Amino acid sequence: MTTEAFARVKIDDLLRDSGWRLTDGQSVRFEYALSSGGRADYVLFDRQGRALAVLEAKKTSVDLTTGESQGKRYAEELGIPFIFLSNGEEIWFCDKEQDAHFRPVKTVFGQDDLARRKAARDVRRNPLDVPIDTRIAGGGGRLYQIACIETLTREIIQGRRKMLVEMATGTGKTRMAAALIKRLFEASWVTRALFVVDRNTLAIQAEDAFAEHLPHLPCYRVPRTGRRFQDEKRITIVTLQTLVNEYEKYSAGYFDLIIIDECHRSIYGKWRRALDHFDGVKIGLTATPCIMQDEPDLDEEDRVSIRDTLRFFEVSRPTYSYTMAEAITDGHLAPYEIYRAMTARTAATEGFAVSRSEIDWDTVDEPTRAELETLFGTQDPLVVDPSVLERKFTIPERNRAMVREFREVLENGYTGPNGIRRAPEHGKTIVFAVTKRHAETLARMFDIEFADRKPMPSVRYADFVVSGTGPDDTVDGPAKIKRFKKEEFPQILVSVNMLDTGFDCPEVRNLVMARFTHSAILYRQMRGRGTRLAPDKTRFTMWDFTGVTLRHNDDETANEGGIVTVRATDKPQSRPRRLLTLDVHDEIDPGTREWVTVDETGRAFMDAEEARIEALGAAFETWLDTQQFNADQLRLLRLIKEQIIANAADLTSFDSWRFDLPPLSMNGGFERARTVFGGEAELERVLTAMNHAIFERNGSDESDSNSNRQSPSNE
């Protein structure tokens, strides 16, 4: 099983996986005779019969590096740049005119992918000699965009394959990326690019931006899982959720360049496998600053996220950085000020007392009633942590106090103890809420408070959107966001996980923090929603009603920093949420009112079936990333994944009898699966582990057959 002949059998399968035709007598030629008298194990040809690459086979007991010099010698003799080495399990690749060393790749490149790369190499020129289109980037004094493109170009020429760019929100990451893409295309260093985002709203924004800035490079957005990539287009825009269920259909050489937007959320478990599949140069874009990882009070999850992000991009610091402080100093971002005013209950850092009589018992379900009765049996009143407000407890008067305070200060300003009066700018407002119910409540309260500002009663002065949290997603979210950006009303949009990142609306002048977060990453992302410049906009105001700016030291002292990444969150199961309504008075604590001076240094909207498809696909990738399988086993598992995705709406487990149904039966059925996994016991063990990881964690508790070979039709 370790002979070269056996390795070649497995290599043949790898070639078929990438679409190579082994029997047409032209595409793949075996034991190819060379003029020197030697024989290349495999030579790969294009459709016109021109040699593209050499593939040297080695048995699994031999280190692949032993074939490097031989492969290079054969490629030199044939006058081709590409060499593959493989033992049927691993594949290594080298472009001898560009790479000093071989590197591992996930698949042999497809015939069209190799031909495209070879054609581009023949006309390639130095991209540093290609002028940057200043109509796209660098105009208006934005020289940092030019500097970023020059830095990335030099790194690519020097052979670096992973880079990380930190640019503050509003400084034009997408425009910079568009200008870089155009330069690399014109220099023939790139012929097909992938732009990856993690939300459909960001995909739509990117598609619009590329259509505007790169009209001569065909660009499209993959709308959902199951749609094939369009080979004739040059730029593909896709969400991670779609990519994770599609990437295995393409060879590792399909894309030459992969740009990952908001990469701080995009590089963990279930996503990483899809990103690693493609061999193209990878550039991560983030607006979250990349320092502070050694701060003693940094959230531990944030600290781990920084480490993993830097590790993914193989850097110790960003390849290029342009911070919020620099952008404010240079006049490219709006400065901000903080108005902090907390209610008496919120400001109670040691907790606040709640007595039995203050609870609206009519709103309490039986499990919660039993829990509270137990707690009140030992003490009355209870001491409540303010951080559970709007999660476990809600105080309607607290929400009303925040709304009233917002309007009062917005219209009349606030004069501090120093006698100086300040007033925020009127304009579009984003409110960050805790839950869907909290968002609905605040939207209604704001709408009532500003009823006199509406042209007619039916117009919504305030509305709300929810996304990324599962069953509570706002179905018409995109339409609401579009109205908020393009129309006069709504003036206020309350958000839960929808507008925290990647949302572009320069007219936003007020950010209301009705939600507390310990994450420095998320805090800086929310703050970034107000930084973009707009006509007559001199600054924006952050309204802190929760003390979140105190947690993150955003005060009169200059504070610039933050971190890089956010761990992808698990989608929670749908369950009714019952809040305990506290019928208590709450109002703004006058002692907490203050202006804080900050200077210049300071998921897709999908239906239930598509949501399940994405959840199962992501769970499969997460599980697969923790396992070790050989090439034959991975090939079979990919077929299983395809069946899971195709039957996601009805499937509650995948059991072994399904191997005897098409299309798996055409791949050898159960007998083939048993052989590949070394016996029925091991096959059942793998399926049991897979089912537990994929289905039980996504709300499917029933099994088709209780892990046996009996089909339901025969029971």
Side-chain angles (χ1 to χ4, degrees):
M1 296 295 241
T2 61
T3 64
E4 185 175 315
F6 182 70
R8 292 193 188 194
V9 172
K10 304 186 79 171
I11 290 170
D12 289 351
D13 287 337
L14 294 176
L15 287 166
R16 292 189 188 95
D17 290 344
S18 294
W20 287 92
R21 297 179 301 279
L22 273 62
T23 58
D24 66 359
Q26 177 172 315
S27 300
V28 180
R29 303 184 193 179
F30 312 92
E31 293 294 331
Y32 188 76
L34 302 170
S35 59
S36 63
R39 287 184 176 273
D41 293 331
Y42 296 81
V43 178
L44 309 180
F45 291 80
D46 65 15
R47 299 179 191 279
Q48 286 72 45
R50 295 170 296 203
L52 294 171
V54 169
L55 193 161
E56 278 300 296
K58 295 296 175 185
K59 56 186 179 181
T60 55
S61 59
V62 174
D63 193 321
L64 281 177
T65 59
T66 61
E68 289 184 2
S69 59
Q70 187 179 39
K72 286 185 176 181
R73 186 170 65 252
Y74 290 164
E76 190 70 35
E77 190 170 341
L78 289 167
I80 53 179
F82 306 131
I83 310 110
F84 292 95
L85 307 175
S86 182
N87 56 16
E89 294 291 336
E90 295 180 88
I91 306 169
W92 289 67
F93 171 76
C94 177
D95 177 344
K96 67 181 182 64
E97 297 175 11
Q98 177 68 21
D99 303 322
H101 298 276
F102 281 74
R103 63 178 178 272
V105 292
K106 298 301 182 183
T107 74
V108 178
F109 298 173
Q111 186 178 43
D112 290 339
D113 298 332
L114 272 179
R116 180 169 44 80
R117 289 198 178 199
K118 174 65 165 58
R121 282 201 120 284
D122 293 342
V123 295
R124 177 178 292 182
R125 56 181 172 142
N126 189 338
L128 289 172
D129 295 335
V130 177
I132 297 170
D133 190 340
T134 54
R135 294 170 299 179
I136 301 175
R142 296 178 181 266
L143 300 181
Y144 61 90
Q145 294 176 341
I146 300 291
C148 181
I149 294 170
E150 293 287 3
T151 298
L152 295 176
T153 303
R154 284 193 298 270
E155 293 287 313
I156 292 171
I157 291 173
Q158 292 166 7
R160 189 175 295 279
R161 303 194 62 76
K162 287 186 175 182
M163 286 149 279
L164 177 62
V165 173
E166 170 203 325
M167 289 177 63
T169 297
T171 56
K173 293 189 300 297
T174 304
R175 293 179 75 103
M176 182 280 299
L180 175 66
I181 289 171
K182 181 178 181 182
R183 184 187 225 189
L184 295 177
F185 266 91
E186 290 182 353
S188 295
W189 276 68
V190 168
T191 58
R192 186 182 284 148
L194 176 67
F195 194 83
V196 184
V197 298
D198 67 352
R199 295 184 184 180
N200 197 45
T201 49
L202 301 184
I204 294 171
Q205 285 181 191
E207 184 179 31
D208 291 343
F210 289 143
E212 176 185 355
H213 302 311
L214 304 173
H216 303 301
L217 290 176
C219 168
Y220 73 106
R221 173 173 53 91
V222 182
R224 62 179 180 271
T225 298
R227 292 289 187 92
R228 278 197 59 84
F229 295 166
Q230 299 178 28
D231 296 346
E232 72 279 6
K233 299 295 181 68
R234 300 297 89 191
I235 303 174
T236 300
I237 302 170
V238 67
T239 63
L240 280 160
Q241 295 84 347
T242 297
L243 183 65
V244 80
N245 287 326
E246 299 296 320
Y247 74 92
E248 291 171 331
K249 300 175 184 177
Y250 305 91
S251 92
Y254 191 80
F255 294 108
D256 310 313
L257 174 69
I258 298 101
I259 297 179
I260 310 157
D261 194 20
E262 299 294 349
C263 62
H264 50 268
R265 299 191 302 262
S266 311
I267 63 170
Y268 291 101
K270 56 189 176 184
W271 311 131
R272 178 162 187 163
R273 199 175 186 92
L275 295 172
D276 281 343
H277 177 79
F278 297 106
D279 179 62
V281 170
K282 296 178 179 69
I283 299 175
L285 307 179
T286 181
T288 307
C290 185
I291 57 175
M292 286 177 56
Q293 57 262 44
D294 297 323
E295 289 288 329
D297 62 343
L298 186 64
D299 181 80
E300 185 58 30
E301 186 171 310
D302 286 349
R303 194 186 311 277
V304 172
S305 296
I306 300 169
R307 180 200 66 198
D308 289 348
T309 300
L310 296 176
R311 182 180 298 170
F312 176 84
F313 288 102
E314 301 171 8
V315 295
S316 60
R317 63 184 67 247
T319 312
Y320 183 84
S321 178
Y322 187 69
T323 67
M324 182 178 181
E326 292 175 295
I328 292 175
T329 300
D330 294 343
H332 298 306
L333 290 182
Y336 65 98
E337 57 192 10
I338 298 171
Y339 177 71
R340 188 183 296 130
M342 293 180 285
T343 67
R345 308 274 176 170
T346 306
T349 56
E350 301 302 319
F352 60 90
V354 176
S355 66
R356 176 189 290 270
S357 61
E358 292 176 317
I359 292 178
D360 183 354
W361 291 94
D362 292 337
T363 68
V364 181
D365 56 16
E366 285 306 317
T368 306
R369 178 184 292 271
E371 179 184 354
L372 286 173
E373 291 288 2
T374 301
L375 291 172
F376 278 121
T378 60
Q379 57 179 315
D380 187 4
L382 302 176
V383 178
V384 176
D385 183 345
S387 67
V388 303
L389 286 170
E390 303 308 329
R391 298 188 187 277
K392 199 72 173 178
F393 295 89
T394 183
I395 304 177
E397 280 303 309
R398 170 178 177 264
N399 290 322
R400 292 190 188 99
M402 289 191 293
V403 171
R404 287 193 293 263
E405 183 79 0
F406 175 78
R407 177 156 189 180
E408 170 64 25
V409 177
L410 182 68
E411 296 191 345
N412 301 315
Y414 172 69
T415 302
N418 59 3
I420 298 177
R421 177 185 174 277
R422 301 190 204 173
E425 294 184 3
H426 285 260
K428 294 285 186 172
T429 298
I430 295 175
V431 180
F432 297 109
V434 179
T435 65
K436 179 181 181 181
R437 178 166 175 171
H438 190 210
E440 290 177 306
T441 298
L442 287 174
R444 285 195 299 270
M445 288 181 174
F446 275 111
D447 201 67
I448 292 171
E449 183 67 30
F450 287 90
D452 59 312
R453 294 295 186 90
K454 302 196 295 186
M456 60 185 68
S458 60
V459 170
R460 289 192 176 187
Y461 192 91
D463 209 339
F464 71 95
V465 287
V466 180
S467 180
T469 57
D472 289 340
D473 286 6
T474 309
V475 176
D476 57 347
K480 290 183 177 183
I481 291 173
K482 185 175 181 179
R483 285 197 297 272
F484 180 69
K485 292 175 65 173
K486 303 293 185 183
E487 300 177 13
E488 183 179 1
F489 297 100
Q491 279 286 304
I492 298 172
L493 196 58
V494 187
S495 164
V496 180
N497 297 333
M498 187 70 161
L499 308 179
D500 303 353
T501 62
F503 175 68
D504 177 9
C505 182
E507 294 299 331
V508 169
R509 284 169 162 79
N510 295 287
L511 302 176
V512 178
M513 309 304 242
R515 164 189 181 176
F516 185 89
T517 178
H518 284 284
S519 171
I521 301 164
L522 183 57
Y523 171 73
R524 284 166 174 77
Q525 289 170 339
M526 292 191 294
R527 183 179 65 183
R529 296 315 100 204
T531 58
R532 296 179 186 274
L533 297 175
D536 301 321
K537 177 180 176 180
T538 61
R539 67 193 187 284
F540 69 97
T541 301
M542 291 177 61
W543 303 71
D544 182 10
F545 292 117
T546 63
V548 68
T549 58
L550 292 172
R551 167 65 179 85
H552 298 290
N553 300 314
D554 210 348
D555 214 316
E556 292 185 357
T557 35
N559 178 60
E560 175 57 35
I563 41 241
V564 182
T565 120
V566 165
R567 184 176 300 281
T569 55
D570 295 330
K571 189 169 287 247
Q573 296 180 2
S574 176
R575 61 180 183 272
R577 182 186 297 277
R578 299 299 298 271
L579 290 178
L580 300 185
T581 301
L582 303 183
D583 187 19
V584 298
H585 180 69
D586 201 8
E587 61 185 13
I588 295 295
D589 181 351
T592 68
R593 288 187 174 115
E594 61 177 326
W595 282 107
V596 181
T597 301
V598 182
D599 64 17
E600 67 277 3
T601 63
R603 204 189 197 268
F605 308 100
M606 46 197 174
D607 57 27
E609 182 176 350
E610 185 151 349
R612 182 165 172 79
I613 287 173
E614 293 184 356
L616 293 179
F620 185 95
E621 292 299 319
T622 301
W623 170 74
L624 194 61
D625 203 46
T626 64
Q627 309 296 312
Q628 292 291 328
F629 296 110
N630 64 36
D632 290 335
Q633 292 167 342
L634 284 172
R635 187 175 297 109
L636 186 57
L637 286 168
R638 292 189 189 104
L639 294 176
I640 292 174
K641 178 187 173 184
E642 289 180 5
Q643 291 308 297
I644 291 172
I645 297 305
N647 299 281
D650 305 313
L651 209 59
T652 58
S653 73
F654 185 95
D655 297 286
S656 55
W657 59 266
R658 290 185 177 275
F659 287 112
D660 291 328
L661 299 178
L664 292 172
S665 60
M666 297 184 294
N667 192 51
F670 176 75
E671 291 303 319
R672 169 67 176 162
R674 182 168 61 179
T675 300
V676 166
F677 282 96
E680 185 170 350
E682 178 62 13
L683 174 61
E684 293 296 348
R685 186 197 68 77
V686 170
L687 292 181
T688 299
M690 181 191 73
N691 284 327
H692 174 74
I694 298 172
F695 292 102
E696 292 183 22
R697 296 178 184 178
N698 282 280
S700 301
D701 298 323
E702 301 176 358
S703 171
D704 283 353
S705 56
N706 296 319
S707 296
N708 59 46
R709 287 270 300 139
Q710 187 176 17
S711 168
S713 62
N714 297 324
E715 291 180 349

